[in-house]
Amino acid sequence: MKKNQQSQLELKRTKAACAKSARRHHQALGESLELQKHLRELTHRVLASQEAERAKISHELQDEVAQTLLGINVHLLALKKEARSGAVGLKNEITRTQQLVLRSAQSVRKFARELELQQPT
């Protein structure tokens, strides 16, 4: 009987240890799933933030390019007028228009670099 009681006691201990281990594993699994969910949410927020920043830069770039093109158009109209009235200020107008085009190109390059810097690696 004593051996049978010891076996039963050992069996109870083993079952209790298994149950405790199962509870710990179940708890760890739950924590792991929560962490995965949290990581997915953080990843989504980071990606959404990056996309919003890219959209903002894109709109700024479009606005800047549109404004520059309008300025170039105004200068070209002035050139047309100068060409009709004489060549006195024509050279200066052409130089100003070229400078405007250069500034526009530099601005576009600046925005492009900013976009490149924001790209995830």
Side-chain angles (χ1 to χ4, degrees), residues 46-73:
V46 165
L47 291 174
S49 175
Q50 288 175 341
E51 185 58 33
E53 184 64 22
R54 277 193 283 279
K56 178 183 162 223
I57 290 172
S58 174
H59 286 2
E60 288 175 6
L61 180 59
Q62 288 176 11
D63 290 348
E64 177 127 359
V65 169
Q67 186 177 16
T68 302
L69 289 174
L70 180 62
I72 290 170
N73 194 38

Side-chain angles (χ1 to χ4, degrees), residues 53-100:
E53 184 64 22
R54 277 193 283 279
K56 178 183 162 223
I57 290 172
S58 174
H59 286 2
E60 288 175 6
L61 180 59
Q62 288 176 11
D63 290 348
E64 177 127 359
V65 169
Q67 186 177 16
T68 302
L69 289 174
L70 180 62
I72 290 170
N73 194 38
V74 168
H75 281 281
L76 290 173
L77 289 172
L79 283 174
K80 237 185 202 180
K81 185 178 178 183
E82 286 291 326
R84 278 190 228 126
S85 63
V88 177
L90 190 58
K91 188 174 182 180
N92 290 337
E93 261 321 299
I94 290 172
T95 301
R96 281 196 293 263
T97 303
Q98 287 172 329
Q99 290 170 348
L100 184 60

